């Protein structure tokens, strides 16, 4: 390798390492701003300023979904298996909304400790399976397919 | 490092890439036809997403290829920077165009899937944002490349951006693990126990290989054309034209 090329190679390496380090530091500094949502445990632990809008993510607790008399308001509990928070939402829920499903809600906590959501998004997990298999799993295990971590 | 000069000489590149272009085009045709038929007709619907799951067979390969193409572009950028190989400079520009297209396809198919499944076309989570940054990087490389009168100067400047931007690739890949995102985590790369059955993984992998052969066929075809046009006054192009 000629000295000229060696010099250019060093330039490339310095460039990549330099920018890599700068990016890593920047991402590390903005760590908390990069989270799309917070978990109920993080709220309980006081990691989030609850006087402003934020996103809350968790699983809908089985049996906690209640429709209110007005027909458009739904309340349900979101959990990360350690803590849970009650969410109230007025509006249309996404198709994937169901008990046991991962949900991300945006809104604010009111004085009663209820999370008033303005937007509810369903989080799809990484599990894919045909409906027959899901039914078979449900019949065999008697539980929601999502709580079964492995598919064959 | 002698092989870089050998395979990168315009004349020799044109010869060996011609053979590969034929093989790759034939493979792409077969794999794409088989993959699309398997993905859209044979494979089962999903228990939650029903037929919407079929978007995945286009979305996931294009997203993988959007990152793979970037690595190809950045590697060509390194060769162009250090060895000043003309073919590598052309590969940088051509893979930027193809990569931008893959990225756009991944973003658009993702949005079409996101609306019915999540309830929103777009959210600013780490995965979606870093993939959008990838699109801007490709567009930036193209813009810099064509901003100079002399294509060789443009290639040098564009290569620097291509090389620096490679940092975004691990960020895209690990974004779903490092931060809470709305986008789901990896399904396939959990090799010990992928969270999808074989009836879905098989068409996905066929589509993946189809996209890969398509990429190389397209890259070779575009690079050959650009090379002929760039070298049109040289003797080896004249010889080809006379034949």
């Amino acid at each position: 390798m000629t000295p000229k090329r060696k010099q250019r190679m060093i330039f490339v390496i310095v460039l990549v390492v330099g920018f890599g380090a700068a990016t890593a530091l920047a991402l590390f500094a903005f760590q908390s701003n990069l989270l799309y949502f917070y978990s109920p445990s993080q709220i309980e632990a006081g990691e989030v300023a609850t006087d402003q809008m934020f996103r809350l993510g968790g699983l809908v607790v089985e049996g906690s979904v209640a429709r209110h008399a007005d027909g458009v308001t739904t309340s349900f509990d979101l959990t990360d298996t350690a803590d849970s928070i009650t969410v109230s939402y007025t509006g249309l829920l996404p198709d994937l909304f169901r008990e046991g499903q991962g949900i991300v809600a945006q809104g604010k906590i009111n004085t009663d400790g209820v999370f008033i959501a303005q937007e509810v998004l369903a989080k799809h997990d990484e599990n894919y399976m045909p409906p027959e298999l899901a039914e078979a799993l449900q019949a065999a295990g008697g539980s929601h397919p999502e709580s079964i971590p492995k598919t064959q | 490092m002698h092989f870089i000069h050998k395979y990168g000489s315009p004349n020799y590149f044109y010869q060996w890439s011609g053979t590969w272009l034929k093989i790759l085009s034939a493979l792409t045709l077969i794999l794409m036809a088989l993959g699309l038929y398997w993905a859209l007709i044979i494979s089962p619907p999903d228990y939650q997403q029903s037929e919407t799951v079929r978007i995945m067979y286009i979305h996931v390969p294009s997203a993988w290829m959007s990152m793979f193409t970037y690595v190809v572009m950045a590697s060509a950028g390194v060769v162009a920077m250090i060895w000043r190989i003309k073919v590598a400079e052309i590969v940088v520009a051509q893979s930027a165009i193809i990569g931008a297209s893959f990225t756009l396809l991944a973003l658009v198919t993702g949005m079409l899937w996101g609306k019915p499944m999540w309830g929103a076309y777009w959210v600013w989570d780490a995965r979606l944002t870093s993939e959008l940054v990838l699109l801007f990087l490709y567009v930036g490389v193209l813009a810099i490349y064509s901003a100079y009168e002399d294509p060789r100067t443009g290639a040098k400047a564009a290569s620097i951006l291509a090389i620096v931007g490679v940092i975004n690739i691990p960020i895209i890949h690990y974004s779903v693990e490092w931060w809470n995102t709305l986008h789901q985590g990896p399904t396939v790369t959990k090799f010990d126990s992928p969270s999808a059955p074989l009836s879905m993984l098989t068409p996905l992998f066929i589509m993946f290989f189809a996209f890969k052969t398509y990429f190389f066929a397209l890259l070779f075809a575009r690079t050959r054309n650009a090379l002929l046009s760039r070298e049109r006054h040289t003797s080896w192009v004249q010889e080809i034209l006379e034949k």
Side-chain angles (χ1 to χ4, degrees), chain A residues 8 36-37 101 126 128-129, chain B residues 47-48 82 180 187 195:
Chain A
R8 291 184 196 138
Y36 190 68
F37 57 84
Q101 180 75 37
E126 71 277 17
Y128 293 80
M129 60 178 106
Chain B
Y47 76 113
Q48 276 198 321
I82 298 175
N180 294 338
T187 296
S195 313

Side-chain angles (χ1 to χ4, degrees), chain B residues 2-68:
Chain B
H2 176 69
F3 73 95
I4 293 186
H5 292 281
K6 185 184 171 200
Y7 289 90
S9 96
N11 191 356
Y12 189 56
F13 173 85
Y14 193 82
Q15 287 173 30
W16 69 260
S17 63
T19 321
W20 275 105
L21 180 57
K22 288 196 195 91
I23 300 171
L24 289 165
S25 308
L27 274 175
T28 306
L29 256 162
I30 298 166
L31 287 172
M32 204 60 105
L34 179 69
L36 280 175
Y37 183 72
W38 202 318
L40 300 181
I41 298 170
I42 304 179
S43 78
D46 182 65
Y47 76 113
Q48 276 198 321
Q49 312 165 59
S50 66
E51 304 293 341
T52 322
V53 71
R54 299 186 197 284
I55 295 176
M56 169 195 64
Y57 299 111
I58 304 292
H59 173 76
V60 174
S62 10
W64 281 345
M65 287 311 292
S66 74
M67 294 194 277
F68 177 80

Side-chain angles (χ1 to χ4, degrees), chain B residues 156-188:
Chain B
K156 210 158 76 178
S159 297
I160 295 181
L161 179 62
I163 293 166
V164 166
V166 91
I167 292 153
N168 194 30
I169 299 300
I171 297 180
I172 297 175
H173 183 79
Y174 291 107
S175 56
V176 289
E177 291 172 22
W178 288 342
W179 304 291
N180 294 338
T181 53
L182 188 62
H183 194 286
Q184 63 257 39
T187 296
V188 180

Side-chain angles (χ1 to χ4, degrees), chain A residues 46-79:
Chain A
E47 283 178 38
V48 190
T50 47
D51 53 339
Q52 48 192 350
M53 280 246 277
F54 64 97
R55 291 194 200 85
L56 175 70
L59 300 172
V60 179
V61 177
E62 306 266 347
S64 72
V65 179
R67 300 224 174 249
H68 288 236
D70 65 0
V72 287
T73 303
T74 317
S75 72
F76 52 88
D77 292 347
L78 278 189
T79 181

